Amino acid sequence: QVQLVESGGGLVQAGGSLRLSCVGSDRSSENNGIDSMGWFRQAPGKEQEFVGIFRRAENFGHYADSVQGRFTMSRDSSKNTLYLQMDNLQPEDTAKYICCGDQHDMRSWGRGTKVTVSS
């Protein structure tokens, strides 16, 4: 089982930046860490949207078109931590940002952290 805790959300003005963190905890007996980690977001009244994913074996993330060029992930696999640097935030980025982590073909979810971007 993977436990995930997000932090870093808040209220910012359009054009501003935030840096989100997702700290994962590998609670499995194998203690081999987490495979993929990523971010989804869900705006009020809307469906959940993929933001990006960062696989353990890679040195880069994969991003949704809506955030490409503005959001950047980095990962410290040794600490099971995934970061999301969000630049040039826009009102349409307002959402609850939810971290996920994969292990043994199972996906775990954090509780999310809220990001609000004012115009």
Side-chain angles (χ1 to χ4, degrees):
Q1 179 179 328
V2 174
Q3 293 179 322
L4 302 154
V5 180
E6 305 97 331
S7 63
L11 174 64
V12 298
Q13 293 180 309
S17 298
L18 283 174
R19 184 175 177 86
L20 306 184
S21 298
C22 175
V23 179
S25 298
D26 180 6
R27 311 308 296 174
S28 69
S29 60
E30 295 86 357
N31 195 30
N32 288 327
I34 303 168
D35 185 8
S36 297
M37 298 182 70
W39 292 94
F40 288 73
R41 67 185 183 185
Q42 187 168 24
K46 296 186 178 180
E47 295 183 354
Q48 193 174 70
E49 177 188 18
F50 171 78
V51 175
I53 190 166
F54 202 118
R55 299 181 173 89
R56 178 161 57 179
E58 297 175 336
N59 295 317
F60 55 90
H62 304 264
Y63 304 90
D65 290 342
S66 59
V67 306
Q68 182 73 242
R70 298 187 298 117
F71 292 9
T72 304
M73 291 180 291
S74 58
R75 180 172 176 175
D76 185 342
S77 294
S78 67
K79 297 190 290 186
N80 292 320
T81 301
L82 181 70
Y83 304 95
L84 180 64
Q85 177 68 42
M86 304 185 294
D87 297 321
N88 192 24
L89 283 160
Q90 301 298 312
E92 56 264 35
D93 297 316
T94 295
K96 181 172 67 176
Y97 284 72
I98 306 161
C99 182
C100 68
D102 297 342
Q103 187 183 68
H104 301 146
D105 297 322
M106 297 180 62
R107 175 158 289 177
S108 300
W109 300 89
R111 300 297 298 272
T113 184
K114 187 175 181 179
V115 172
T116 302
V117 185
S118 62
S119 60

